[in-house]
Amino acid sequence: MSRGGEHEIVVIEGDGIGQEVIPAAVAVLQAVDEVGFSFTEKQAGDDTRDQTGAALPETTYEAAADADATLFGAAGETAADVILPLREAVGSFVNIRPARAYPGVDALQPETDLVFLRENTEGVYSGHEDRLSEDLSTLTRVITTSASEQLAEYACSYVTERSIDGFHTVHKANVMQETDGRFRDAVSRVAASNDVATNEVLMDAFATRVCLNPTQFDVVVCPNLAGDVLSDLAAGLVGGLGLLPSANIGQTNALFEPVHGTAPDIAGDGIANPSASILSAGMLLEYLGETDAATNVQMAVESVLNSGPRTPDLGGNASTEAVVNAVIEQLSS
Ligand code: GGG
């Protein structure tokens, strides 16, 4: 923290509904009276590429690397050129994705309460793709013991600090024996050395089991792509992607973003659900040590989801603005 005790936050709206839900999250942070912020807006995404030639200008990368924390919306076609370097800029090794069913929201599985801890640097996201011929393209999947162990150490601290009884490790080591075998072995070794209980589930079996009965899972530790796909699946259980926030945590920096993308079908209509972005802002507050404010934001969102205005994805006809105003009103009540 600097500049007279204010948290320095970089704000990157990106494309599509990022330009609607991130201003909404910033408005909520500005309404948190007890915490001081300075916001710096930076550009990234498809429009930025069209205007400047770079989807993620160096100034944006550096600002994220230097900030106390960054709030990011979504990127369209340029997602890979924006999200992955941004996660790298903050040195993130874990992507935390809570997937909760909220009272009052119509959910396929109303008892769902999951947290995905997703490896955030490698797997298929390492980007080693090649076009070898007209007929053949390849992708190299990278799994290291060090990244798997770092994720596992974080998972152990996460469950221990919250008195949670261990975690599930999700992988596909029966097929990807070398890569997911390495991941599975590293995670189970670290868990054993921390006296943390783990259960293993093959990722395909997990997909079925979590749909049928999500209450059998709590904290789920997985490789990068599995964490992306399975948390989106969990979004389907709780009422949609408009409800899932995320935190990309590094050693000394972090980036917060809704799990959803740019939603081009509704972009510009003013009806995007801002809950995921506001909940991401709540995770940002928690990361900055502003725990009371984080709880207040979380509770205000929950209260509005329960009995306030709803955007069309949740069966209502309210605007983004109406939801944000209701959250801010709750915060000050
Ligand atoms: N809000 C981030 C975003 O744009 N999500 C869509 C997406 O493609 N995500 C891929 C990922 O999280 O790895």
Side-chain angles (χ1 to χ4, degrees):
M1 197 196 297
S2 53
R3 273 204 234 161
E6 291 180 333
H7 298 291
E8 291 186 8
I9 309 299
V10 165
V11 177
I12 307 167
E13 295 176 1
D15 301 312
I17 61 167
Q19 296 171 9
E20 297 162 53
V21 294
I22 291 303
V26 170
V28 170
L29 287 176
Q30 282 169 328
V32 176
D33 286 338
E34 64 270 31
V35 185
F37 297 101
S38 72
F39 296 102
T40 306
E41 281 194 34
K42 290 287 172 188
Q43 307 304 316
D46 297 357
D47 293 346
T48 306
R49 177 203 54 194
D50 296 345
Q51 288 155 15
T52 71
L56 185 72
E58 223 172 291
T59 48
T60 303
Y61 182 98
E62 280 165 12
D66 291 344
D68 291 331
T70 296
L71 197 53
F72 165 63
E77 283 171 14
T78 54
D81 302 322
V82 172
I83 303 176
L84 305 190
L86 272 181
R87 290 176 184 159
E88 177 200 274
V90 302
S92 174
F93 58 89
V94 56
N95 183 206
I96 308 174
R97 293 183 160 196
R100 285 182 60 198
Y102 294 98
V105 174
D106 198 14
L108 279 177
Q109 286 290 5
E111 304 300 319
T112 307
D113 190 359
L114 302 163
V115 177
F116 291 87
L117 300 181
R118 164 190 179 193
E119 200 287 321
N120 215 16
T121 63
E122 52 186 29
V124 301
Y125 276 69
S126 296
H128 300 297
E129 277 196 303
D130 288 300
R131 174 181 284 253
L132 298 184
S133 75
E134 277 310 300
D135 185 48
L136 174 66
S137 295
T138 59
L139 163 65
T140 303
R141 183 169 187 264
V142 176
I143 299 287
T144 63
T145 299
S146 50
S148 307
E149 284 180 351
Q150 191 175 24
L151 173 70
E153 290 288 358
Y154 186 88
C156 289
S157 308
Y158 188 93
V159 296
T160 305
E161 280 163 20
R162 291 164 179 77
S163 304
I164 298 170
D165 201 13
F167 59 79
H168 281 84
T169 313
V170 169
H171 58 74
K172 189 72 181 162
N174 58 338
V175 173
M176 295 179 280
Q177 296 177 6
E178 179 55 40
T179 51
D180 266 14
R182 180 183 288 273
F183 176 81
R184 174 200 58 201
D185 293 348
V187 172
S188 84
R189 210 169 38 244
V190 168
S193 71
N194 283 279
D195 277 333
V196 168
T198 56
N199 283 301
E200 288 178 25
V201 197
L202 292 174
M203 65 175 80
D204 45 355
F206 175 86
T208 306
R209 285 176 56 188
V210 78
C211 288
L212 293 173
N213 177 15
T215 63
Q216 62 192 300
F217 302 109
D218 186 343
V219 175
V220 180
V221 174
C222 25
N224 204 338
L225 180 62
D228 188 32
V229 174
L230 294 172
S231 56
D232 274 37
L233 181 148
L237 300 180
V238 302
L241 275 168
L243 298 169
L244 262 63
S246 86
N248 300 278
I249 303 292
Q251 295 290 5
T252 59
N253 200 343
L255 167 78
F256 299 82
E257 55 176 323
V259 165
H260 63 68
T262 56
D265 52 332
I266 56 163
D269 294 346
I271 53 163
N273 186 345
S275 303
S277 285
I278 301 173
L279 290 167
S280 300
M283 294 178 86
L284 175 149
L285 286 166
E286 192 179 338
Y287 168 78
L288 293 173
E290 306 287 0
T291 44
D292 289 348
T295 306
N296 292 342
V297 167
Q298 172 86 25
M299 283 169 56
V301 173
E302 284 182 28
S303 166
V304 172
L305 285 173
N306 193 14
S307 56
R310 279 152 205 257
T311 44
D313 57 307
L314 299 182
N317 56 12
S319 65
T320 307
E321 193 183 0
V323 176
V324 179
N325 288 342
V327 171
I328 291 173
E329 204 171 298
Q330 269 300 317
L331 265 182
S332 39
S333 67

